[in-house]
Amino acid sequence: MELLFEYLGKGFMTMLSISMPCVLTAAAIGLVIGILQAVTQVQEQTIVAAPKILSVFLVIMIFGVGFARLLTNLLQEGQALAFNVIPKNDNYVISSDYYKYTRPFDSEMQVDSFKNQPTVNEIMKNPGKVPFVDKNERQKYNAADKFPRPRPNFIETNKILGR
């Protein structure tokens, strides 16, 4: 388990090392332009966007190869961990016949609500007979009315019936 947490930590560090130059560049450009806007008293929010986008793009272009190497190293380490280290560690591997001797959800499955239902084999032998729990549960599908006929509410029904 420590191995997986260590790999997760390396993933977070890789994420930070890739995103930090971009974020710090955008923050620095925003600070410089904010100071210039305060000095010139031009308070336009759209002026900041274009230099930030260009600077982050330049940082990605300059450091992009290094970012790709960091991600490639993390991916290769993860593959080596997943295919070479973890399968050889007996603590992480469950035997293939584990569920043959255990019933993991036996305590939750106390109620057997389907015991009177036909099995799949019985249903396949009788293809015309559709299984229903009760005959009254069948839904009858009739053709839809061409014109909607709203039903009267309780008060209107009592007036119609003269109650």
PDB file of all heavy atoms in Angstrom, residues 56-85:
ATOM      1  N   VAL A  56       2.027  32.327 -21.088  1.00  0.00           N
ATOM      2  CA  VAL A  56       1.834  30.907 -20.756  1.00  0.00           C
ATOM      3  C   VAL A  56       2.126  30.044 -21.982  1.00  0.00           C
ATOM      4  O   VAL A  56       2.744  28.974 -21.872  1.00  0.00           O
ATOM      5  CB  VAL A  56       0.411  30.656 -20.198  1.00  0.00           C
ATOM      6  CG1 VAL A  56       0.106  29.184 -20.096  1.00  0.00           C
ATOM      7  CG2 VAL A  56       0.252  31.319 -18.843  1.00  0.00           C
ATOM      8  N   PHE A  57       1.734  30.493 -23.147  1.00  0.00           N
ATOM      9  CA  PHE A  57       2.038  29.766 -24.379  1.00  0.00           C
ATOM     10  C   PHE A  57       3.550  29.656 -24.593  1.00  0.00           C
ATOM     11  O   PHE A  57       4.059  28.591 -24.952  1.00  0.00           O
ATOM     12  CB  PHE A  57       1.369  30.465 -25.575  1.00  0.00           C
ATOM     13  CG  PHE A  57       1.642  29.803 -26.883  1.00  0.00           C
ATOM     14  CD1 PHE A  57       1.062  28.585 -27.201  1.00  0.00           C
ATOM     15  CD2 PHE A  57       2.488  30.399 -27.812  1.00  0.00           C
ATOM     16  CE1 PHE A  57       1.323  27.973 -28.419  1.00  0.00           C
ATOM     17  CE2 PHE A  57       2.751  29.793 -29.028  1.00  0.00           C
ATOM     18  CZ  PHE A  57       2.164  28.571 -29.327  1.00  0.00           C
ATOM     19  N   LEU A  58       4.289  30.754 -24.348  1.00  0.00           N
ATOM     20  CA  LEU A  58       5.738  30.720 -24.488  1.00  0.00           C
ATOM     21  C   LEU A  58       6.382  29.772 -23.471  1.00  0.00           C
ATOM     22  O   LEU A  58       7.319  29.052 -23.803  1.00  0.00           O
ATOM     23  CB  LEU A  58       6.318  32.132 -24.339  1.00  0.00           C
ATOM     24  CG  LEU A  58       6.149  33.043 -25.540  1.00  0.00           C
ATOM     25  CD1 LEU A  58       6.623  34.455 -25.233  1.00  0.00           C
ATOM     26  CD2 LEU A  58       6.898  32.485 -26.727  1.00  0.00           C
ATOM     27  N   VAL A  59       5.879  29.768 -22.238  1.00  0.00           N
ATOM     28  CA  VAL A  59       6.418  28.856 -21.217  1.00  0.00           C
ATOM     29  C   VAL A  59       6.191  27.406 -21.639  1.00  0.00           C
ATOM     30  O   VAL A  59       7.090  26.560 -21.518  1.00  0.00           O
ATOM     31  CB  VAL A  59       5.779  29.145 -19.836  1.00  0.00           C
ATOM     32  CG1 VAL A  59       6.058  28.028 -18.854  1.00  0.00           C
ATOM     33  CG2 VAL A  59       6.285  30.454 -19.286  1.00  0.00           C
ATOM     34  N   ILE A  60       5.012  27.119 -22.171  1.00  0.00           N
ATOM     35  CA  ILE A  60       4.725  25.751 -22.620  1.00  0.00           C
ATOM     36  C   ILE A  60       5.612  25.385 -23.810  1.00  0.00           C
ATOM     37  O   ILE A  60       6.115  24.258 -23.896  1.00  0.00           O
ATOM     38  CB  ILE A  60       3.222  25.597 -22.955  1.00  0.00           C
ATOM     39  CG1 ILE A  60       2.404  25.659 -21.676  1.00  0.00           C
ATOM     40  CG2 ILE A  60       2.953  24.277 -23.667  1.00  0.00           C
ATOM     41  CD1 ILE A  60       0.913  25.682 -21.890  1.00  0.00           C
ATOM     42  N   MET A  61       5.846  26.318 -24.707  1.00  0.00           N
ATOM     43  CA  MET A  61       6.710  26.040 -25.855  1.00  0.00           C
ATOM     44  C   MET A  61       8.164  25.819 -25.430  1.00  0.00           C
ATOM     45  O   MET A  61       8.853  24.956 -25.959  1.00  0.00           O
ATOM     46  CB  MET A  61       6.637  27.185 -26.876  1.00  0.00           C
ATOM     47  CG  MET A  61       5.312  27.296 -27.579  1.00  0.00           C
ATOM     48  SD  MET A  61       4.850  25.830 -28.494  1.00  0.00           S
ATOM     49  CE  MET A  61       6.065  25.844 -29.768  1.00  0.00           C
ATOM     50  N   ILE A  62       8.640  26.609 -24.452  1.00  0.00           N
ATOM     51  CA  ILE A  62      10.033  26.492 -24.023  1.00  0.00           C
ATOM     52  C   ILE A  62      10.248  25.225 -23.191  1.00  0.00           C
ATOM     53  O   ILE A  62      11.194  24.466 -23.417  1.00  0.00           O
ATOM     54  CB  ILE A  62      10.460  27.755 -23.232  1.00  0.00           C
ATOM     55  CG1 ILE A  62      10.505  28.956 -24.171  1.00  0.00           C
ATOM     56  CG2 ILE A  62      11.814  27.552 -22.560  1.00  0.00           C
ATOM     57  CD1 ILE A  62      10.650  30.291 -23.464  1.00  0.00           C
ATOM     58  N   PHE A  63       9.369  24.991 -22.222  1.00  0.00           N
ATOM     59  CA  PHE A  63       9.550  23.858 -21.302  1.00  0.00           C
ATOM     60  C   PHE A  63       8.744  22.626 -21.697  1.00  0.00           C
ATOM     61  O   PHE A  63       8.686  21.665 -20.933  1.00  0.00           O
ATOM     62  CB  PHE A  63       9.151  24.264 -19.878  1.00  0.00           C
ATOM     63  CG  PHE A  63      10.016  25.341 -19.291  1.00  0.00           C
ATOM     64  CD1 PHE A  63       9.492  26.589 -19.008  1.00  0.00           C
ATOM     65  CD2 PHE A  63      11.353  25.103 -19.044  1.00  0.00           C
ATOM     66  CE1 PHE A  63      10.284  27.579 -18.471  1.00  0.00           C
ATOM     67  CE2 PHE A  63      12.153  26.090 -18.505  1.00  0.00           C
ATOM     68  CZ  PHE A  63      11.616  27.335 -18.213  1.00  0.00           C
ATOM     69  N   GLY A  64       8.127  22.632 -22.869  1.00  0.00           N
ATOM     70  CA  GLY A  64       7.250  21.529 -23.274  1.00  0.00           C
ATOM     71  C   GLY A  64       7.944  20.185 -23.351  1.00  0.00           C
ATOM     72  O   GLY A  64       7.389  19.156 -22.963  1.00  0.00           O
ATOM     73  N   VAL A  65       9.176  20.167 -23.821  1.00  0.00           N
ATOM     74  CA  VAL A  65       9.915  18.906 -23.929  1.00  0.00           C
ATOM     75  C   VAL A  65      10.184  18.342 -22.538  1.00  0.00           C
ATOM     76  O   VAL A  65      10.053  17.144 -22.301  1.00  0.00           O
ATOM     77  CB  VAL A  65      11.223  19.129 -24.711  1.00  0.00           C
ATOM     78  CG1 VAL A  65      12.059  17.869 -24.737  1.00  0.00           C
ATOM     79  CG2 VAL A  65      10.914  19.586 -26.120  1.00  0.00           C
ATOM     80  N   GLY A  66      10.545  19.225 -21.598  1.00  0.00           N
ATOM     81  CA  GLY A  66      10.769  18.772 -20.220  1.00  0.00           C
ATOM     82  C   GLY A  66       9.492  18.250 -19.581  1.00  0.00           C
ATOM     83  O   GLY A  66       9.508  17.247 -18.856  1.00  0.00           O
ATOM     84  N   PHE A  67       8.367  18.939 -19.858  1.00  0.00           N
ATOM     85  CA  PHE A  67       7.082  18.471 -19.334  1.00  0.00           C
ATOM     86  C   PHE A  67       6.748  17.088 -19.888  1.00  0.00           C
ATOM     87  O   PHE A  67       6.278  16.209 -19.154  1.00  0.00           O
ATOM     88  CB  PHE A  67       5.966  19.452 -19.684  1.00  0.00           C
ATOM     89  CG  PHE A  67       6.088  20.807 -19.047  1.00  0.00           C
ATOM     90  CD1 PHE A  67       5.403  21.885 -19.572  1.00  0.00           C
ATOM     91  CD2 PHE A  67       6.871  21.017 -17.935  1.00  0.00           C
ATOM     92  CE1 PHE A  67       5.492  23.136 -19.000  1.00  0.00           C
ATOM     93  CE2 PHE A  67       6.972  22.271 -17.343  1.00  0.00           C
ATOM     94  CZ  PHE A  67       6.280  23.333 -17.887  1.00  0.00           C
ATOM     95  N   ALA A  68       7.004  16.902 -21.177  1.00  0.00           N
ATOM     96  CA  ALA A  68       6.728  15.602 -21.800  1.00  0.00           C
ATOM     97  C   ALA A  68       7.614  14.515 -21.203  1.00  0.00           C
ATOM     98  O   ALA A  68       7.157  13.387 -20.974  1.00  0.00           O
ATOM     99  CB  ALA A  68       6.927  15.687 -23.305  1.00  0.00           C
ATOM    100  N   ARG A  69       8.880  14.840 -20.904  1.00  0.00           N
ATOM    101  CA  ARG A  69       9.779  13.860 -20.279  1.00  0.00           C
ATOM    102  C   ARG A  69       9.297  13.489 -18.879  1.00  0.00           C
ATOM    103  O   ARG A  69       9.354  12.317 -18.489  1.00  0.00           O
ATOM    104  CB  ARG A  69      11.197  14.401 -20.214  1.00  0.00           C
ATOM    105  CG  ARG A  69      11.924  14.319 -21.518  1.00  0.00           C
ATOM    106  CD  ARG A  69      13.392  14.620 -21.359  1.00  0.00           C
ATOM    107  NE  ARG A  69      13.992  14.799 -22.664  1.00  0.00           N
ATOM    108  CZ  ARG A  69      14.813  15.765 -22.984  1.00  0.00           C
ATOM    109  NH1 ARG A  69      15.165  16.663 -22.084  1.00  0.00           N
ATOM    110  NH2 ARG A  69      15.314  15.851 -24.197  1.00  0.00           N
ATOM    111  N   LEU A  70       8.848  14.494 -18.112  1.00  0.00           N
ATOM    112  CA  LEU A  70       8.329  14.207 -16.769  1.00  0.00           C
ATOM    113  C   LEU A  70       7.130  13.264 -16.826  1.00  0.00           C
ATOM    114  O   LEU A  70       7.035  12.296 -16.065  1.00  0.00           O
ATOM    115  CB  LEU A  70       7.936  15.510 -16.065  1.00  0.00           C
ATOM    116  CG  LEU A  70       9.061  16.357 -15.498  1.00  0.00           C
ATOM    117  CD1 LEU A  70       8.520  17.690 -15.006  1.00  0.00           C
ATOM    118  CD2 LEU A  70       9.738  15.621 -14.362  1.00  0.00           C
ATOM    119  N   LEU A  71       6.212  13.555 -17.749  1.00  0.00           N
ATOM    120  CA  LEU A  71       5.023  12.699 -17.873  1.00  0.00           C
ATOM    121  C   LEU A  71       5.382  11.310 -18.381  1.00  0.00           C
ATOM    122  O   LEU A  71       4.812  10.308 -17.934  1.00  0.00           O
ATOM    123  CB  LEU A  71       4.001  13.351 -18.811  1.00  0.00           C
ATOM    124  CG  LEU A  71       3.241  14.533 -18.222  1.00  0.00           C
ATOM    125  CD1 LEU A  71       2.385  15.189 -19.288  1.00  0.00           C
ATOM    126  CD2 LEU A  71       2.399  14.104 -17.056  1.00  0.00           C
ATOM    127  N   THR A  72       6.333  11.230 -19.295  1.00  0.00           N
ATOM    128  CA  THR A  72       6.762   9.932 -19.815  1.00  0.00           C
ATOM    129  C   THR A  72       7.411   9.097 -18.720  1.00  0.00           C
ATOM    130  O   THR A  72       7.136   7.897 -18.598  1.00  0.00           O
ATOM    131  CB  THR A  72       7.740  10.118 -20.986  1.00  0.00           C
ATOM    132  OG1 THR A  72       7.113  10.934 -21.967  1.00  0.00           O
ATOM    133  CG2 THR A  72       8.132   8.796 -21.609  1.00  0.00           C
ATOM    134  N   ASN A  73       8.265   9.722 -17.911  1.00  0.00           N
ATOM    135  CA  ASN A  73       8.900   8.998 -16.805  1.00  0.00           C
ATOM    136  C   ASN A  73       7.867   8.505 -15.798  1.00  0.00           C
ATOM    137  O   ASN A  73       7.962   7.377 -15.300  1.00  0.00           O
ATOM    138  CB  ASN A  73       9.934   9.881 -16.109  1.00  0.00           C
ATOM    139  CG  ASN A  73      11.146  10.129 -16.967  1.00  0.00           C
ATOM    140  OD1 ASN A  73      11.405   9.380 -17.908  1.00  0.00           O
ATOM    141  ND2 ASN A  73      11.879  11.178 -16.656  1.00  0.00           N
ATOM    142  N   LEU A  74       6.873   9.349 -15.499  1.00  0.00           N
ATOM    143  CA  LEU A  74       5.826   8.937 -14.558  1.00  0.00           C
ATOM    144  C   LEU A  74       5.021   7.768 -15.125  1.00  0.00           C
ATOM    145  O   LEU A  74       4.708   6.808 -14.408  1.00  0.00           O
ATOM    146  CB  LEU A  74       4.904  10.116 -14.241  1.00  0.00           C
ATOM    147  CG  LEU A  74       3.811   9.829 -13.212  1.00  0.00           C
ATOM    148  CD1 LEU A  74       4.416   9.682 -11.832  1.00  0.00           C
ATOM    149  CD2 LEU A  74       2.767  10.918 -13.219  1.00  0.00           C
ATOM    150  N   LEU A  75       4.706   7.824 -16.407  1.00  0.00           N
ATOM    151  CA  LEU A  75       3.950   6.742 -17.042  1.00  0.00           C
ATOM    152  C   LEU A  75       4.745   5.445 -17.067  1.00  0.00           C
ATOM    153  O   LEU A  75       4.212   4.370 -16.756  1.00  0.00           O
ATOM    154  CB  LEU A  75       3.544   7.146 -18.464  1.00  0.00           C
ATOM    155  CG  LEU A  75       2.762   6.104 -19.248  1.00  0.00           C
ATOM    156  CD1 LEU A  75       1.397   5.905 -18.632  1.00  0.00           C
ATOM    157  CD2 LEU A  75       2.645   6.505 -20.688  1.00  0.00           C
ATOM    158  N   GLN A  76       6.030   5.532 -17.403  1.00  0.00           N
ATOM    159  CA  GLN A  76       6.857   4.322 -17.432  1.00  0.00           C
ATOM    160  C   GLN A  76       7.019   3.723 -16.039  1.00  0.00           C
ATOM    161  O   GLN A  76       6.998   2.505 -15.868  1.00  0.00           O
ATOM    162  CB  GLN A  76       8.225   4.634 -18.038  1.00  0.00           C
ATOM    163  CG  GLN A  76       8.173   4.862 -19.526  1.00  0.00           C
ATOM    164  CD  GLN A  76       9.496   5.328 -20.094  1.00  0.00           C
ATOM    165  OE1 GLN A  76      10.416   5.681 -19.360  1.00  0.00           O
ATOM    166  NE2 GLN A  76       9.587   5.338 -21.426  1.00  0.00           N
ATOM    167  N   GLU A  77       7.159   4.584 -15.034  1.00  0.00           N
ATOM    168  CA  GLU A  77       7.265   4.078 -13.667  1.00  0.00           C
ATOM    169  C   GLU A  77       5.957   3.414 -13.225  1.00  0.00           C
ATOM    170  O   GLU A  77       5.968   2.383 -12.561  1.00  0.00           O
ATOM    171  CB  GLU A  77       7.616   5.225 -12.725  1.00  0.00           C
ATOM    172  CG  GLU A  77       7.921   4.778 -11.327  1.00  0.00           C
ATOM    173  CD  GLU A  77       8.343   5.936 -10.444  1.00  0.00           C
ATOM    174  OE1 GLU A  77       8.662   7.017 -10.967  1.00  0.00           O
ATOM    175  OE2 GLU A  77       8.359   5.734  -9.224  1.00  0.00           O
ATOM    176  N   GLY A  78       4.840   4.000 -13.628  1.00  0.00           N
ATOM    177  CA  GLY A  78       3.547   3.403 -13.296  1.00  0.00           C
ATOM    178  C   GLY A  78       3.348   2.061 -13.976  1.00  0.00           C
ATOM    179  O   GLY A  78       2.815   1.124 -13.379  1.00  0.00           O
ATOM    180  N   GLN A  79       3.778   1.953 -15.232  1.00  0.00           N
ATOM    181  CA  GLN A  79       3.671   0.672 -15.929  1.00  0.00           C
ATOM    182  C   GLN A  79       4.571  -0.375 -15.300  1.00  0.00           C
ATOM    183  O   GLN A  79       4.175  -1.533 -15.158  1.00  0.00           O
ATOM    184  CB  GLN A  79       4.026   0.850 -17.404  1.00  0.00           C
ATOM    185  CG  GLN A  79       2.967   1.552 -18.199  1.00  0.00           C
ATOM    186  CD  GLN A  79       3.393   1.784 -19.631  1.00  0.00           C
ATOM    187  OE1 GLN A  79       4.565   1.695 -19.968  1.00  0.00           O
ATOM    188  NE2 GLN A  79       2.425   2.096 -20.483  1.00  0.00           N
ATOM    189  N   ALA A  80       5.780   0.013 -14.919  1.00  0.00           N
ATOM    190  CA  ALA A  80       6.680  -0.942 -14.266  1.00  0.00           C
ATOM    191  C   ALA A  80       6.107  -1.385 -12.930  1.00  0.00           C
ATOM    192  O   ALA A  80       6.185  -2.569 -12.569  1.00  0.00           O
ATOM    193  CB  ALA A  80       8.053  -0.304 -14.070  1.00  0.00           C
ATOM    194  N   LEU A  81       5.491  -0.461 -12.233  1.00  0.00           N
ATOM    195  CA  LEU A  81       4.872  -0.799 -10.945  1.00  0.00           C
ATOM    196  C   LEU A  81       3.687  -1.737 -11.158  1.00  0.00           C
ATOM    197  O   LEU A  81       3.540  -2.731 -10.442  1.00  0.00           O
ATOM    198  CB  LEU A  81       4.414   0.497 -10.276  1.00  0.00           C
ATOM    199  CG  LEU A  81       4.145   0.475  -8.798  1.00  0.00           C
ATOM    200  CD1 LEU A  81       5.472   0.423  -8.068  1.00  0.00           C
ATOM    201  CD2 LEU A  81       3.392   1.719  -8.400  1.00  0.00           C
ATOM    202  N   ALA A  82       2.869  -1.447 -12.151  1.00  0.00           N
ATOM    203  CA  ALA A  82       1.647  -2.222 -12.362  1.00  0.00           C
ATOM    204  C   ALA A  82       1.914  -3.608 -12.928  1.00  0.00           C
ATOM    205  O   ALA A  82       1.202  -4.563 -12.594  1.00  0.00           O
ATOM    206  CB  ALA A  82       0.705  -1.467 -13.297  1.00  0.00           C
ATOM    207  N   PHE A  83       2.946  -3.738 -13.782  1.00  0.00           N
ATOM    208  CA  PHE A  83       3.154  -5.012 -14.454  1.00  0.00           C
ATOM    209  C   PHE A  83       4.291  -5.846 -13.889  1.00  0.00           C
ATOM    210  O   PHE A  83       4.353  -7.044 -14.134  1.00  0.00           O
ATOM    211  CB  PHE A  83       3.381  -4.790 -15.955  1.00  0.00           C
ATOM    212  CG  PHE A  83       2.178  -4.206 -16.641  1.00  0.00           C
ATOM    213  CD1 PHE A  83       2.243  -2.968 -17.247  1.00  0.00           C
ATOM    214  CD2 PHE A  83       0.982  -4.887 -16.670  1.00  0.00           C
ATOM    215  CE1 PHE A  83       1.147  -2.421 -17.871  1.00  0.00           C
ATOM    216  CE2 PHE A  83      -0.119  -4.348 -17.293  1.00  0.00           C
ATOM    217  CZ  PHE A  83      -0.044  -3.115 -17.893  1.00  0.00           C
ATOM    218  N   ASN A  84       5.202  -5.230 -13.154  1.00  0.00           N
ATOM    219  CA  ASN A  84       6.344  -5.985 -12.652  1.00  0.00           C
ATOM    220  C   ASN A  84       6.366  -6.118 -11.141  1.00  0.00           C
ATOM    221  O   ASN A  84       6.677  -7.178 -10.614  1.00  0.00           O
ATOM    222  CB  ASN A  84       7.655  -5.332 -13.108  1.00  0.00           C
ATOM    223  CG  ASN A  84       7.797  -5.354 -14.609  1.00  0.00           C
ATOM    224  OD1 ASN A  84       7.278  -6.252 -15.266  1.00  0.00           O
ATOM    225  ND2 ASN A  84       8.473  -4.373 -15.156  1.00  0.00           N
ATOM    226  N   VAL A  85       6.040  -5.064 -10.422  1.00  0.00           N
ATOM    227  CA  VAL A  85       6.197  -5.079  -8.972  1.00  0.00           C
ATOM    228  C   VAL A  85       4.969  -5.648  -8.275  1.00  0.00           C
ATOM    229  O   VAL A  85       5.069  -6.576  -7.471  1.00  0.00           O
ATOM    230  CB  VAL A  85       6.510  -3.658  -8.458  1.00  0.00           C
ATOM    231  CG1 VAL A  85       6.592  -3.642  -6.947  1.00  0.00           C
ATOM    232  CG2 VAL A  85       7.797  -3.160  -9.075  1.00  0.00           C
TER     233      VAL A  85
END
